[in-house]
Amino acid sequence: MSSTSNVLMRLVASSYAVAEKAATITRNVMSSGDLGIVEKTGANDLQTAADRLVQKSICTSLARTFPQITLIGEEDLPTEEVEEALIETAQYDEILKYTCPQQYSHIKEEELVVWVDPLDGTKEYTEGLLDHVTILIGIAYKGKAIAGVINQPYYNYQAGDKAVLGRTIWGVLGVGAFGFELKEVPAGTHIVTTTRSHSSKLVNDCIAAVNPGKVIRVGGAGNKIIQLIEGQASAYVFASPGCKKWDTCAPEAILHAVGGKLTDIHGNAFEYHKDVKHMNSAGVLAALRNFDYYSSRVPDSVKQALVP
Ligand code: AMP
Ligand code: MG
Ligand code: MG
């Protein structure tokens, strides 16, 4: 089956298996007790041994199976030999049973750009807020996020010994998203999910303008999109620079695959071609339903402060 499947579905199937290996690496680093924390631009921008090992694992594994794709990972790492133990060349065959949408069936490997956030929510990982952490592999074609994998290595970690630890969510535009149960916040209820460690006056002014009944402050872009698709929050509002393309590519593809929308704070679509600026300078706005309502509430003062 795999040899006849097209490159997009094979890449998603490989990304799923690679993300599961990444989850094991993430848990192993935590249980080793030595996180190897390095400050990048400051105390709110951290890198751990898990970020480093997982990026090596994901990028080397995918490059081995798909030598022509462009891979862009968050971490700036020295080029060095990667141990075989970090490499995963298996694929999750279940994904190959789905038919690739016709518009993606002739994609060539070299036309795909893969955005990798080896650990999203690193600050929360170092603080023991383990279910905020995700591993993000986003796939773009012609500048658009078309498929993605989100692994949550600590899903169920407080649910008792019998619960399966960790899960992988995947999605492709035109196919759907899988690995979770789609739920919506009740109509008319406005629950905003936003950053817990990168707040600012602008971030809070924008949230206030939405007039939500509740605000949830959690780490991670992947985690916040999971809240939207599982009915825990109705909008993700982040009126600030800080999120990068590797934070939004996989979450955007999965949200769009179930009919939601993710853009910058102006409502402009993000581009994911290989030469695009990494920083999402004009923030993030996302919702599963009623995106236009949230978009209409963003104050002009916030828009003027955030130049794309
Ligand atoms: P948060 O919602 O604060 O967890 O942010 C979501 C993603 O964007 C995480 O990967 C953060 O590291 C990143 N991010 C957001 N704001 C900043 C910032 N000011 N500096 C560095 N990274 C940021
Ligand atoms: Mg991130
Ligand atoms: Mg990261």
Side-chain angles (χ1 to χ4, degrees):
M1 186 201 300
S2 60
S3 59
T4 56
S5 300
N6 68 82
V7 66
L8 175 63
M9 298 310 277
R10 285 192 295 112
L11 179 55
V12 178
S14 290
S15 298
Y16 186 108
V18 164
E20 298 229 309
K21 172 143 202 138
T24 304
I25 297 169
T26 302
R27 290 187 293 257
N28 287 347
V29 169
M30 180 57 74
S31 43
S32 78
D34 181 9
L35 296 189
I37 300 170
V38 172
E39 285 188 10
K40 295 197 285 187
T41 57
N44 281 333
D45 192 13
L46 306 177
Q47 183 196 71
T48 68
D51 299 73
R52 295 186 285 274
L53 288 172
V54 166
Q55 179 162 313
K56 279 189 210 167
S57 170
I58 293 175
C59 292
T60 312
S61 300
L62 291 179
R64 189 168 290 183
T65 312
F66 303 93
Q68 308 296 324
I69 57 174
T70 300
L71 281 151
I72 304 171
E74 171 173 5
E75 309 306 335
D76 202 1
L77 300 174
T79 329
E80 57 187 12
E81 196 71 15
V82 174
E83 339 166 17
E84 279 303 309
L86 290 177
I87 296 171
E88 177 64 84
T89 51
Q91 61 189 13
Y92 181 53
D93 285 337
E94 195 61 26
I95 293 175
L96 303 177
K97 294 180 183 159
Y98 290 81
T99 306
C100 182
Q102 206 264 327
Q103 69 268 34
Y104 306 137
S105 60
H106 300 292
I107 293 179
K108 295 191 196 75
E109 201 178 302
E110 59 269 29
E111 294 178 300
L112 291 167
V113 180
V114 179
W115 293 88
V116 177
D117 188 342
L119 210 65
D120 180 48
T122 298
K123 186 158 172 73
E124 287 70 26
Y125 178 71
T126 66
E127 294 174 5
L129 295 166
L130 298 178
D131 48 355
H132 296 207
V133 172
T134 60
I135 292 153
L136 305 175
I137 304 177
I139 300 170
Y141 168 63
K142 293 195 169 162
K144 195 171 159 189
I146 62 164
V149 168
I150 301 180
N151 180 292
Q152 202 176 16
Y154 291 98
Y155 174 66
N156 262 345
Y157 85 114
Q158 290 170 318
D161 290 346
K162 292 209 179 78
V164 178
L165 181 63
R167 64 170 165 176
T168 307
I169 293 169
W170 67 277
V172 177
L173 289 194
V175 178
F178 308 88
F180 67 100
E181 197 186 327
L182 187 68
K183 286 201 195 110
E184 289 180 29
V185 167
T189 306
H190 299 297
I191 304 174
V192 166
T193 184
T194 192
T195 184
R196 65 177 278 278
S197 62
H198 300 107
S199 271
S200 65
K201 183 176 180 309
L202 210 59
V203 166
N204 290 326
D205 285 352
C206 193
I207 294 168
V210 168
N211 194 24
K214 188 175 163 191
V215 179
I216 308 175
R217 295 181 188 272
V218 289
N223 183 30
K224 288 191 259 293
I225 286 328
I226 293 175
Q227 292 189 323
L228 296 185
I229 62 179
E230 292 196 317
Q232 291 160 21
S234 52
Y236 173 11
V237 181
F238 184 58
S240 167
C243 268
K244 325 287 187 316
K245 293 295 178 303
W246 42 76
D247 291 304
T248 48
C249 187
E252 176 181 325
I254 288 173
L255 184 65
H256 286 196
V258 292
K261 190 166 174 181
L262 183 148
T263 67
D264 72 9
I265 215 79
H266 302 270
N268 296 323
F270 287 122
E271 300 242 1
Y272 295 96
H273 51 80
K274 68 178 169 46
D275 302 314
V276 81
K277 186 177 75 163
H278 293 164
M279 180 68 82
N280 294 332
S281 307
V284 178
L285 181 67
L288 176 62
R289 307 282 179 246
N290 304 319
F291 176 90
D292 291 347
Y293 165 77
Y294 297 106
S295 184
S296 73
R297 304 293 297 203
V298 176
D300 285 342
S301 57
V302 168
K303 289 186 178 165
Q304 279 153 17
L306 293 173
V307 181

mmCIF file of all heavy atoms in Angstrom, residues 105-143:
data_model
loop_
_atom_site.group_PDB
_atom_site.id
_atom_site.type_symbol
_atom_site.label_atom_id
_atom_site.label_comp_id
_atom_site.label_asym_id
_atom_site.label_seq_id
_atom_site.Cartn_x
_atom_site.Cartn_y
_atom_site.Cartn_z
ATOM 1 N N SER A 105 -2.788 15.192 -4.808
ATOM 2 C CA SER A 105 -2.346 13.848 -5.191
ATOM 3 C C SER A 105 -1.108 13.851 -6.084
ATOM 4 O O SER A 105 -0.443 12.835 -6.215
ATOM 5 C CB SER A 105 -3.491 13.077 -5.855
ATOM 6 O OG SER A 105 -3.901 13.777 -6.987
ATOM 7 N N HIS A 106 -0.789 14.997 -6.692
ATOM 8 C CA HIS A 106 0.379 15.023 -7.582
ATOM 9 C C HIS A 106 1.540 15.833 -7.016
ATOM 10 O O HIS A 106 2.470 16.178 -7.733
ATOM 11 C CB HIS A 106 -0.019 15.559 -8.970
ATOM 12 C CG HIS A 106 -1.075 14.714 -9.611
ATOM 13 N ND1 HIS A 106 -0.830 13.431 -10.028
ATOM 14 C CD2 HIS A 106 -2.383 14.947 -9.844
ATOM 15 C CE1 HIS A 106 -1.942 12.911 -10.513
ATOM 16 N NE2 HIS A 106 -2.904 13.811 -10.404
ATOM 17 N N ILE A 107 1.465 16.126 -5.733
ATOM 18 C CA ILE A 107 2.548 16.910 -5.106
ATOM 19 C C ILE A 107 3.867 16.146 -5.228
ATOM 20 O O ILE A 107 3.912 14.927 -5.048
ATOM 21 C CB ILE A 107 2.231 17.163 -3.613
ATOM 22 C CG1 ILE A 107 1.019 18.088 -3.462
ATOM 23 C CG2 ILE A 107 3.437 17.760 -2.889
ATOM 24 C CD1 ILE A 107 0.621 18.359 -2.016
ATOM 25 N N LYS A 108 4.934 16.891 -5.493
ATOM 26 C CA LYS A 108 6.264 16.278 -5.518
ATOM 27 C C LYS A 108 6.926 16.542 -4.173
ATOM 28 O O LYS A 108 6.704 17.589 -3.560
ATOM 29 C CB LYS A 108 7.113 16.891 -6.630
ATOM 30 C CG LYS A 108 6.589 16.601 -8.022
ATOM 31 C CD LYS A 108 7.668 17.031 -9.026
ATOM 32 C CE LYS A 108 7.125 17.146 -10.417
ATOM 33 N NZ LYS A 108 6.310 18.350 -10.628
ATOM 34 N N GLU A 109 7.762 15.600 -3.766
ATOM 35 C CA GLU A 109 8.424 15.705 -2.466
ATOM 36 C C GLU A 109 9.089 17.077 -2.273
ATOM 37 O O GLU A 109 8.975 17.699 -1.214
ATOM 38 C CB GLU A 109 9.469 14.584 -2.387
ATOM 39 C CG GLU A 109 9.872 14.230 -0.985
ATOM 40 C CD GLU A 109 10.870 13.076 -0.985
ATOM 41 O OE1 GLU A 109 10.544 11.995 -1.525
ATOM 42 O OE2 GLU A 109 11.958 13.263 -0.439
ATOM 43 N N GLU A 110 9.753 17.558 -3.311
ATOM 44 C CA GLU A 110 10.510 18.813 -3.164
ATOM 45 C C GLU A 110 9.613 20.043 -3.037
ATOM 46 O O GLU A 110 10.092 21.137 -2.742
ATOM 47 C CB GLU A 110 11.513 18.988 -4.327
ATOM 48 C CG GLU A 110 10.913 19.018 -5.718
ATOM 49 C CD GLU A 110 10.844 17.621 -6.357
ATOM 50 O OE1 GLU A 110 10.722 16.621 -5.627
ATOM 51 O OE2 GLU A 110 10.894 17.551 -7.600
ATOM 52 N N GLU A 111 8.303 19.862 -3.218
ATOM 53 C CA GLU A 111 7.378 21.001 -3.076
ATOM 54 C C GLU A 111 6.864 21.147 -1.642
ATOM 55 O O GLU A 111 6.113 22.077 -1.339
ATOM 56 C CB GLU A 111 6.173 20.805 -4.004
ATOM 57 C CG GLU A 111 6.537 20.842 -5.478
ATOM 58 C CD GLU A 111 5.332 20.600 -6.374
ATOM 59 O OE1 GLU A 111 4.700 19.521 -6.267
ATOM 60 O OE2 GLU A 111 5.019 21.488 -7.182
ATOM 61 N N LEU A 112 7.243 20.229 -0.757
ATOM 62 C CA LEU A 112 6.708 20.255 0.618
ATOM 63 C C LEU A 112 7.689 20.908 1.583
ATOM 64 O O LEU A 112 8.904 20.669 1.521
ATOM 65 C CB LEU A 112 6.386 18.828 1.073
ATOM 66 C CG LEU A 112 5.202 18.187 0.337
ATOM 67 C CD1 LEU A 112 5.141 16.683 0.604
ATOM 68 C CD2 LEU A 112 3.887 18.851 0.752
ATOM 69 N N VAL A 113 7.152 21.747 2.463
ATOM 70 C CA VAL A 113 7.948 22.391 3.511
ATOM 71 C C VAL A 113 7.386 21.926 4.852
ATOM 72 O O VAL A 113 6.167 21.986 5.070
ATOM 73 C CB VAL A 113 7.874 23.932 3.405
ATOM 74 C CG1 VAL A 113 8.699 24.592 4.506
ATOM 75 C CG2 VAL A 113 8.350 24.395 2.032
ATOM 76 N N VAL A 114 8.270 21.435 5.710
ATOM 77 C CA VAL A 114 7.825 20.893 6.998
ATOM 78 C C VAL A 114 8.363 21.781 8.121
ATOM 79 O O VAL A 114 9.571 22.011 8.220
ATOM 80 C CB VAL A 114 8.324 19.438 7.171
ATOM 81 C CG1 VAL A 114 7.894 18.881 8.513
ATOM 82 C CG2 VAL A 114 7.788 18.564 6.038
ATOM 83 N N TRP A 115 7.438 22.287 8.943
ATOM 84 C CA TRP A 115 7.782 23.176 10.067
ATOM 85 C C TRP A 115 7.732 22.365 11.354
ATOM 86 O O TRP A 115 6.682 21.804 11.696
ATOM 87 C CB TRP A 115 6.796 24.338 10.124
ATOM 88 C CG TRP A 115 6.923 25.261 8.943
ATOM 89 C CD1 TRP A 115 6.279 25.152 7.735
ATOM 90 C CD2 TRP A 115 7.767 26.415 8.841
ATOM 91 N NE1 TRP A 115 6.667 26.173 6.898
ATOM 92 C CE2 TRP A 115 7.576 26.963 7.549
ATOM 93 C CE3 TRP A 115 8.671 27.045 9.709
ATOM 94 C CZ2 TRP A 115 8.250 28.111 7.113
ATOM 95 C CZ3 TRP A 115 9.327 28.183 9.278
ATOM 96 C CH2 TRP A 115 9.119 28.708 7.994
ATOM 97 N N VAL A 116 8.857 22.332 12.080
ATOM 98 C CA VAL A 116 8.971 21.453 13.254
ATOM 99 C C VAL A 116 9.173 22.270 14.536
ATOM 100 O O VAL A 116 10.158 23.008 14.661
ATOM 101 C CB VAL A 116 10.166 20.480 13.078
ATOM 102 C CG1 VAL A 116 10.331 19.604 14.321
ATOM 103 C CG2 VAL A 116 9.984 19.627 11.825
ATOM 104 N N ASP A 117 8.237 22.146 15.461
ATOM 105 C CA ASP A 117 8.454 22.650 16.821
ATOM 106 C C ASP A 117 8.661 21.404 17.681
ATOM 107 O O ASP A 117 7.709 20.693 18.006
ATOM 108 C CB ASP A 117 7.247 23.456 17.301
ATOM 109 C CG ASP A 117 7.532 24.148 18.632
ATOM 110 O OD1 ASP A 117 8.484 23.741 19.321
ATOM 111 O OD2 ASP A 117 6.791 25.087 18.972
ATOM 112 N N PRO A 118 9.936 21.110 18.033
ATOM 113 C CA PRO A 118 10.211 19.842 18.710
ATOM 114 C C PRO A 118 9.516 19.735 20.063
ATOM 115 O O PRO A 118 9.118 18.639 20.486
ATOM 116 C CB PRO A 118 11.733 19.836 18.865
ATOM 117 C CG PRO A 118 12.148 21.266 18.737
ATOM 118 C CD PRO A 118 11.149 21.906 17.808
ATOM 119 N N LEU A 119 9.392 20.874 20.735
ATOM 120 C CA LEU A 119 8.666 20.908 22.010
ATOM 121 C C LEU A 119 7.989 22.266 22.059
ATOM 122 O O LEU A 119 8.660 23.290 22.011
ATOM 123 C CB LEU A 119 9.661 20.782 23.165
ATOM 124 C CG LEU A 119 9.151 20.111 24.427
ATOM 125 C CD1 LEU A 119 8.811 18.656 24.166
ATOM 126 C CD2 LEU A 119 10.204 20.195 25.519
ATOM 127 N N ASP A 120 6.683 22.292 22.084
ATOM 128 C CA ASP A 120 5.944 23.538 22.208
ATOM 129 C C ASP A 120 5.442 23.599 23.652
ATOM 130 O O ASP A 120 4.814 22.653 24.130
ATOM 131 C CB ASP A 120 4.781 23.529 21.207
ATOM 132 C CG ASP A 120 3.965 24.800 21.268
ATOM 133 O OD1 ASP A 120 4.562 25.893 21.253
ATOM 134 O OD2 ASP A 120 2.727 24.700 21.335
ATOM 135 N N GLY A 121 5.758 24.709 24.326
ATOM 136 C CA GLY A 121 5.435 24.793 25.750
ATOM 137 C C GLY A 121 6.636 24.359 26.593
ATOM 138 O O GLY A 121 6.480 23.728 27.643
ATOM 139 N N THR A 122 7.828 24.716 26.127
ATOM 140 C CA THR A 122 9.051 24.316 26.846
ATOM 141 C C THR A 122 9.069 24.889 28.265
ATOM 142 O O THR A 122 9.459 24.208 29.213
ATOM 143 C CB THR A 122 10.297 24.785 26.067
ATOM 144 O OG1 THR A 122 10.287 24.133 24.804
ATOM 145 C CG2 THR A 122 11.584 24.436 26.796
ATOM 146 N N LYS A 123 8.634 26.144 28.401
ATOM 147 C CA LYS A 123 8.649 26.748 29.747
ATOM 148 C C LYS A 123 7.772 25.924 30.703
ATOM 149 O O LYS A 123 8.163 25.630 31.829
ATOM 150 C CB LYS A 123 8.163 28.199 29.670
ATOM 151 C CG LYS A 123 8.285 28.921 30.998
ATOM 152 C CD LYS A 123 8.321 30.411 30.829
ATOM 153 C CE LYS A 123 8.247 31.124 32.175
ATOM 154 N NZ LYS A 123 9.489 31.011 32.942
ATOM 155 N N GLU A 124 6.626 25.519 30.209
ATOM 156 C CA GLU A 124 5.708 24.727 31.039
ATOM 157 C C GLU A 124 6.319 23.347 31.335
ATOM 158 O O GLU A 124 6.149 22.820 32.432
ATOM 159 C CB GLU A 124 4.350 24.607 30.337
ATOM 160 C CG GLU A 124 3.539 25.904 30.364
ATOM 161 C CD GLU A 124 4.086 27.035 29.494
ATOM 162 O OE1 GLU A 124 4.790 26.746 28.495
ATOM 163 O OE2 GLU A 124 3.817 28.208 29.812
ATOM 164 N N TYR A 125 7.027 22.786 30.379
ATOM 165 C CA TYR A 125 7.729 21.491 30.575
ATOM 166 C C TYR A 125 8.702 21.616 31.757
ATOM 167 O O TYR A 125 8.752 20.748 32.618
ATOM 168 C CB TYR A 125 8.458 21.162 29.277
ATOM 169 C CG TYR A 125 9.294 19.910 29.225
ATOM 170 C CD1 TYR A 125 8.704 18.648 29.217
ATOM 171 C CD2 TYR A 125 10.685 19.994 29.103
ATOM 172 C CE1 TYR A 125 9.487 17.501 29.104
ATOM 173 C CE2 TYR A 125 11.471 18.854 28.991
ATOM 174 C CZ TYR A 125 10.864 17.610 28.992
ATOM 175 O OH TYR A 125 11.636 16.473 28.872
ATOM 176 N N THR A 126 9.430 22.738 31.792
ATOM 177 C CA THR A 126 10.417 22.910 32.876
ATOM 178 C C THR A 126 9.738 23.182 34.217
ATOM 179 O O THR A 126 10.356 23.046 35.259
ATOM 180 C CB THR A 126 11.395 24.082 32.585
ATOM 181 O OG1 THR A 126 10.659 25.315 32.601
ATOM 182 C CG2 THR A 126 12.094 23.920 31.250
ATOM 183 N N GLU A 127 8.463 23.597 34.171
ATOM 184 C CA GLU A 127 7.748 23.910 35.414
ATOM 185 C C GLU A 127 6.817 22.787 35.847
ATOM 186 O O GLU A 127 6.049 22.940 36.795
ATOM 187 C CB GLU A 127 6.953 25.213 35.229
ATOM 188 C CG GLU A 127 7.858 26.425 35.035
ATOM 189 C CD GLU A 127 7.096 27.705 34.697
ATOM 190 O OE1 GLU A 127 5.851 27.697 34.698
ATOM 191 O OE2 GLU A 127 7.773 28.699 34.422
ATOM 192 N N GLY A 128 6.836 21.674 35.117
ATOM 193 C CA GLY A 128 6.013 20.526 35.496
ATOM 194 C C GLY A 128 4.552 20.625 35.082
ATOM 195 O O GLY A 128 3.730 19.833 35.528
ATOM 196 N N LEU A 129 4.238 21.592 34.200
ATOM 197 C CA LEU A 129 2.865 21.669 33.666
ATOM 198 C C LEU A 129 2.836 20.808 32.401
ATOM 199 O O LEU A 129 2.794 21.290 31.266
ATOM 200 C CB LEU A 129 2.496 23.126 33.364
ATOM 201 C CG LEU A 129 2.427 24.015 34.614
ATOM 202 C CD1 LEU A 129 2.405 25.487 34.231
ATOM 203 C CD2 LEU A 129 1.191 23.654 35.430
ATOM 204 N N LEU A 130 2.903 19.508 32.617
ATOM 205 C CA LEU A 130 3.286 18.599 31.531
ATOM 206 C C LEU A 130 2.247 18.461 30.433
ATOM 207 O O LEU A 130 2.589 18.240 29.276
ATOM 208 C CB LEU A 130 3.657 17.235 32.121
ATOM 209 C CG LEU A 130 4.858 17.292 33.081
ATOM 210 C CD1 LEU A 130 5.136 15.907 33.653
ATOM 211 C CD2 LEU A 130 6.097 17.828 32.387
ATOM 212 N N ASP A 131 0.962 18.600 30.788
ATOM 213 C CA ASP A 131 -0.030 18.425 29.714
ATOM 214 C C ASP A 131 -0.143 19.657 28.811
ATOM 215 O O ASP A 131 -0.889 19.633 27.835
ATOM 216 C CB ASP A 131 -1.393 17.979 30.259
ATOM 217 C CG ASP A 131 -1.857 18.810 31.420
ATOM 218 O OD1 ASP A 131 -1.088 19.689 31.874
ATOM 219 O OD2 ASP A 131 -2.989 18.586 31.879
ATOM 220 N N HIS A 132 0.615 20.719 29.063
ATOM 221 C CA HIS A 132 0.640 21.869 28.148
ATOM 222 C C HIS A 132 1.576 21.603 26.958
ATOM 223 O O HIS A 132 1.559 22.327 25.973
ATOM 224 C CB HIS A 132 1.150 23.122 28.867
ATOM 225 C CG HIS A 132 0.270 23.594 29.986
ATOM 226 N ND1 HIS A 132 0.212 24.907 30.380
ATOM 227 C CD2 HIS A 132 -0.583 22.934 30.798
ATOM 228 C CE1 HIS A 132 -0.627 25.037 31.394
ATOM 229 N NE2 HIS A 132 -1.117 23.844 31.671
ATOM 230 N N VAL A 133 2.405 20.585 27.097
ATOM 231 C CA VAL A 133 3.488 20.348 26.141
ATOM 232 C C VAL A 133 2.981 19.573 24.915
ATOM 233 O O VAL A 133 2.263 18.582 25.059
ATOM 234 C CB VAL A 133 4.590 19.524 26.832
ATOM 235 C CG1 VAL A 133 5.660 19.081 25.855
ATOM 236 C CG2 VAL A 133 5.204 20.325 27.976
ATOM 237 N N THR A 134 3.389 20.021 23.726
ATOM 238 C CA THR A 134 3.098 19.258 22.502
ATOM 239 C C THR A 134 4.327 19.242 21.592
ATOM 240 O O THR A 134 5.252 20.037 21.758
ATOM 241 C CB THR A 134 1.903 19.846 21.703
ATOM 242 O OG1 THR A 134 2.208 21.180 21.335
ATOM 243 C CG2 THR A 134 0.598 19.796 22.483
ATOM 244 N N ILE A 135 4.289 18.331 20.636
ATOM 245 C CA ILE A 135 5.322 18.213 19.597
ATOM 246 C C ILE A 135 4.584 18.497 18.288
ATOM 247 O O ILE A 135 3.541 17.885 18.029
ATOM 248 C CB ILE A 135 5.912 16.786 19.620
ATOM 249 C CG1 ILE A 135 6.714 16.583 20.913
ATOM 250 C CG2 ILE A 135 6.764 16.515 18.382
ATOM 251 C CD1 ILE A 135 6.790 15.156 21.372
ATOM 252 N N LEU A 136 5.099 19.448 17.509
ATOM 253 C CA LEU A 136 4.347 19.918 16.342
ATOM 254 C C LEU A 136 5.099 19.682 15.034
ATOM 255 O O LEU A 136 6.241 20.121 14.886
ATOM 256 C CB LEU A 136 4.069 21.422 16.480
ATOM 257 C CG LEU A 136 3.366 21.874 17.771
ATOM 258 C CD1 LEU A 136 3.276 23.403 17.819
ATOM 259 C CD2 LEU A 136 1.974 21.259 17.849
ATOM 260 N N ILE A 137 4.447 18.999 14.102
ATOM 261 C CA ILE A 137 5.012 18.808 12.758
ATOM 262 C C ILE A 137 3.957 19.310 11.762
ATOM 263 O O ILE A 137 2.891 18.709 11.614
ATOM 264 C CB ILE A 137 5.352 17.322 12.494
ATOM 265 C CG1 ILE A 137 6.296 16.772 13.578
ATOM 266 C CG2 ILE A 137 5.964 17.159 11.101
ATOM 267 C CD1 ILE A 137 6.629 15.279 13.433
ATOM 268 N N GLY A 138 4.249 20.448 11.131
ATOM 269 C CA GLY A 138 3.299 21.054 10.192
ATOM 270 C C GLY A 138 3.805 20.903 8.768
ATOM 271 O O GLY A 138 5.006 21.022 8.513
ATOM 272 N N ILE A 139 2.899 20.651 7.843
ATOM 273 C CA ILE A 139 3.279 20.410 6.444
ATOM 274 C C ILE A 139 2.627 21.468 5.556
ATOM 275 O O ILE A 139 1.404 21.667 5.611
ATOM 276 C CB ILE A 139 2.844 18.987 6.017
ATOM 277 C CG1 ILE A 139 3.537 17.942 6.915
ATOM 278 C CG2 ILE A 139 3.136 18.739 4.533
ATOM 279 C CD1 ILE A 139 3.019 16.534 6.754
ATOM 280 N N ALA A 140 3.458 22.155 4.758
ATOM 281 C CA ALA A 140 2.952 23.229 3.902
ATOM 282 C C ALA A 140 3.244 22.938 2.436
ATOM 283 O O ALA A 140 4.269 22.345 2.098
ATOM 284 C CB ALA A 140 3.584 24.557 4.305
ATOM 285 N N TYR A 141 2.315 23.395 1.602
ATOM 286 C CA TYR A 141 2.436 23.242 0.150
ATOM 287 C C TYR A 141 1.968 24.547 -0.483
ATOM 288 O O TYR A 141 0.892 25.054 -0.120
ATOM 289 C CB TYR A 141 1.561 22.059 -0.291
ATOM 290 C CG TYR A 141 1.334 21.929 -1.769
ATOM 291 C CD1 TYR A 141 2.392 21.703 -2.638
ATOM 292 C CD2 TYR A 141 0.040 21.994 -2.291
ATOM 293 C CE1 TYR A 141 2.166 21.569 -3.995
ATOM 294 C CE2 TYR A 141 -0.197 21.849 -3.641
ATOM 295 C CZ TYR A 141 0.868 21.641 -4.492
ATOM 296 O OH TYR A 141 0.645 21.505 -5.843
ATOM 297 N N LYS A 142 2.764 25.101 -1.375
ATOM 298 C CA LYS A 142 2.452 26.394 -1.994
ATOM 299 C C LYS A 142 2.139 27.448 -0.933
ATOM 300 O O LYS A 142 1.172 28.218 -1.064
ATOM 301 C CB LYS A 142 1.295 26.257 -2.983
ATOM 302 C CG LYS A 142 1.684 25.403 -4.189
ATOM 303 C CD LYS A 142 0.714 25.542 -5.327
ATOM 304 C CE LYS A 142 1.285 24.893 -6.570
ATOM 305 N NZ LYS A 142 0.307 24.612 -7.587
ATOM 306 N N GLY A 143 2.874 27.432 0.166
ATOM 307 C CA GLY A 143 2.729 28.463 1.194
ATOM 308 C C GLY A 143 1.575 28.275 2.145
ATOM 309 O O GLY A 143 1.347 29.097 3.032
#
